[in-house]
């Protein structure tokens, strides 16, 4: 795995085997990390909208609570450092202690990536307040916008690729990755915590990892698999091309049916805006309306995650997963159109 991360994440500081801790999935990695870097009653800041399962990953067993912050819009990922500071100071004035911030890049549910400048904004903010900063990079290699737009390089920039020693005490920087998304191995439950400059934390993780071991069969399989760098290269290229092909077909379908969406760059999904489809029946859609629409879609054989499960401030958006065979996806899209035509 050391060779894999050094090959694909372009780390500024070379990753060594001892920098990597293995857990049973990225969710378990978040949980194990927070058991070790935060104390009960402390707060973790998470930019929203965010992956709803973080509510469990961060808080179960730890007693750590979450503070939401919205430093960018749904359509523009540019991070507003002033908004981060405003929420931090407000929280502090309420007697609450924020000790960490958790960033997902590429973002879930937006399916977009932060720029180098935005990553630096997060790092500088964390440094100013001595916060642990955690980067969940589980969709790192599922970028496709460079293929769609015919450019040379993926838009994803790993936090590991930054000279982050110049921006923050390096012991505060933690990166998480897993096999569930880029390699479609959800059920194998394999995740990684990368810590390059916090030896005490690595020792703590090595002790708590006994409660989150991967199986020996999984261990052997992945060891053999990742030795074959040529196959890994080919797989990643093929996966990105398949994502790009389906993204193009899906967005063409949405345009033909006048469904607005927020363009994606990475991951298996992007947000569609259903408000224009509901003008006849809903003047101002609410999160309660989303719940009704969500259950109605399920009754018609389609599952799309509504924005409220991602703690979005703005209702009317659903996360559309497009990384499935086109025949199935097209049928689902047809069902969506038919369902909205009959929603009351």
């Amino acid at each position: 795995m050391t060779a894999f991360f050094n090959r694909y994440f372009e780390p500024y500081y070379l990753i060594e085997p001892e920098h990597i801790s293995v857990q049973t999935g990225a969710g378990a990695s978040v949980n194990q990390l927070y058991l070790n870097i935060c104390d009960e009653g402390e707060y973790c800041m998470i930019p929203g909208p965010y992956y709803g399962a973080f509510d469990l990953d961060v808080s179960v067993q730890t007693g750590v609570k979450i503070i939401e912050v919205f430093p960018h819009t749904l359509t523009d990922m540019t991070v507003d450092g002033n908004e981060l500071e405003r929420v931090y100071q407000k929280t502090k004035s309420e007697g609450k202690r924020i000790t960490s911030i958790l960033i997902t890049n590429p973002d879930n549910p937006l399916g977009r990536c932060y720029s180098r400048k935005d990553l630096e904004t997060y790092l500088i903010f964390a440094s100013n307040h001595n916060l642990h900063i955690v980067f969940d990079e589980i969709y790192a290699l599922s970028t496709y916008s460079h293929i769609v737009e015919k450019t040379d390089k993926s838009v994803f920039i790993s936090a590991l690729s930054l000279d982050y020693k110049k921006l923050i005490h390096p012991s505060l920087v933690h990166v998480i990755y897993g096999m569930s998304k880029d390699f479609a191995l959800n059920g194998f439950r394999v995740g990684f915590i990368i810590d390059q400059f916090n030896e005490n934390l690595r020792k703590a993780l090595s002790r708590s990892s006994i409660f989150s071991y991967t199986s020996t069969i999984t261990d052997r399989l992945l060891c053999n698999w990742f030795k074959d760098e040529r196959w890994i290269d080919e797989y990643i290229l093929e996966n990105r091309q398949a994502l790009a092909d389906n993204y193009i077909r899906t967005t063409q379908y949405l345009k033909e049916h006048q469904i607005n969406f927020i363009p994606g760059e990475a991951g298996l999904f992007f947000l569609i805006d259903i408000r224009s489809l509901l003008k006849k029946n809903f003047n101002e859609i609410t999160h309660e309306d989303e719940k009704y629409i969500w259950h109605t879609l399920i009754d018609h054989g389609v599952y799309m995650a509504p924005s409220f499960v991602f703690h979005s401030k703005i209702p009317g958006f659903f996360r559309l997963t497009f990384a499935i065979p086109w025949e199935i996806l097209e049928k689902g899209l047809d069902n969506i159109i038919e369902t909205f035509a009959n929603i009351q």
Side-chain angles (χ1 to χ4, degrees):
M1 294 312 301
T2 298
F4 169 76
F5 287 119
N6 283 325
R7 185 176 174 83
Y8 285 103
F9 286 65
E10 301 179 0
Y12 189 91
Y13 307 104
L14 197 67
I15 295 172
E16 303 291 347
E18 60 267 23
H19 297 162
I20 303 171
S21 171
V22 185
Q23 313 288 336
T24 48
S29 298
V30 173
N31 186 256
Q32 289 293 312
L33 184 59
Y34 270 84
L35 279 168
N36 284 286
I37 64 174
C38 295
D39 290 327
E40 184 176 358
E42 294 179 343
Y43 283 79
C44 167
M45 180 183 282
I46 305 183
Y50 66 83
Y51 174 54
F54 281 155
D55 294 338
L56 302 176
D57 297 341
V58 169
S59 299
V60 170
Q61 297 178 302
T62 68
V64 176
K65 301 176 183 178
I66 292 172
I67 290 289
E68 299 173 13
V69 61
F70 296 88
H72 56 76
T73 67
L74 296 181
T75 56
D76 184 354
M77 294 285 285
T78 303
V79 176
D80 182 353
N82 292 329
E83 179 61 12
L84 293 172
E85 188 66 28
R86 184 192 70 80
V87 172
Y88 178 87
Q89 294 300 337
K90 179 179 182 294
T91 304
K92 184 179 179 180
S93 70
E94 295 168 351
K96 301 171 183 175
R97 186 176 181 225
I98 297 175
T99 56
S100 66
I101 181 169
L102 172 56
I103 315 296
T104 305
N105 185 40
D107 184 84
N108 178 8
L110 295 175
R112 298 183 64 81
C113 298
Y114 288 110
S115 69
R116 181 176 297 272
K117 182 178 179 181
D118 295 323
L119 296 176
E120 290 176 350
T121 298
Y122 280 129
L123 285 162
I124 292 169
F125 167 74
S127 179
N128 288 340
H129 300 291
N130 199 38
L131 307 181
H132 288 276
I133 183 164
V134 182
F135 293 95
D136 183 336
E137 298 184 347
I138 196 167
Y139 294 99
L141 304 181
S142 291
T143 51
Y144 55 81
S145 61
H146 60 297
I147 298 175
V148 174
E149 297 167 7
K150 296 180 172 59
T151 56
D152 294 332
K153 191 169 176 60
S154 165
V155 293
F156 169 72
I157 299 171
S158 173
L160 294 166
S161 70
L162 277 61
D163 184 5
Y164 56 85
K165 276 187 178 181
K166 292 182 177 180
L167 302 171
I168 190 173
H169 195 288
S171 66
L172 295 171
V173 179
H174 323 283
V175 174
I176 286 172
Y177 185 70
M179 302 303 300
S180 295
K181 312 305 180 185
D182 291 341
F183 291 93
L185 292 175
N186 304 54
F188 279 64
R189 309 309 306 151
V190 183
F192 307 95
I193 303 171
I194 301 174
D195 258 285
Q196 295 181 289
F197 298 101
N198 195 325
E199 185 178 355
N200 286 336
L201 175 59
R202 296 201 301 264
K203 287 179 179 178
L205 288 169
S206 72
R207 286 160 173 75
S208 64
S209 66
I210 191 171
F211 303 109
S212 189
Y213 277 164
T214 56
S215 73
T216 52
I217 296 173
T218 301
D219 185 18
R220 175 53 55 196
L221 185 151
L222 292 180
C223 281
N224 291 337
W225 196 1
F226 278 88
K227 285 178 183 176
D228 191 345
E229 290 186 346
R230 178 180 175 182
W231 186 90
I232 295 292
D233 289 347
E234 291 173 352
Y235 168 81
I236 291 170
L237 286 173
E238 184 175 346
N239 187 52
R240 283 173 162 165
Q241 185 64 59
L243 288 170
D245 292 345
N246 252 32
Y247 177 80
I248 291 169
R249 297 181 79 170
T250 304
T251 53
Q252 285 176 342
Y253 181 102
L254 296 176
K255 289 173 184 177
E256 289 169 2
H257 291 84
Q258 299 181 317
I259 301 176
N260 297 328
F261 61 92
I262 298 175
E265 297 174 326
L268 319 177
F269 42 71
F270 55 87
L271 291 185
I272 65 170
D273 183 349
I274 65 166
R275 293 173 296 181
S276 59
L277 298 175
L278 296 168
K279 285 180 180 178
K280 295 179 181 178
N281 304 304
F282 297 85
N283 292 324
E284 291 187 13
I285 189 171
T286 67
H287 286 312
E288 284 301 314
D289 295 327
E290 280 187 349
K291 291 180 183 179
Y292 167 72
I293 294 164
W294 181 34
H295 288 290
T296 303
L297 285 168
I298 291 172
D299 290 340
H300 288 78
V302 177
Y303 184 94
M304 287 197 301
S307 73
F308 73 84
V309 305
F310 303 107
H311 300 267
S312 175
K313 291 194 300 183
I314 305 173
F317 291 86
F318 278 68
R319 192 186 72 172
L320 173 64
T321 299
F322 66 92
I324 54 178
W326 176 249
E327 313 80 57
I328 299 172
L329 180 58
E330 185 177 31
K331 181 178 180 180
L333 292 169
D334 289 341
N335 282 0
I336 291 170
I337 295 297
E338 182 181 346
T339 302
F340 278 115
N342 296 305
I343 282 182
Q344 300 295 325

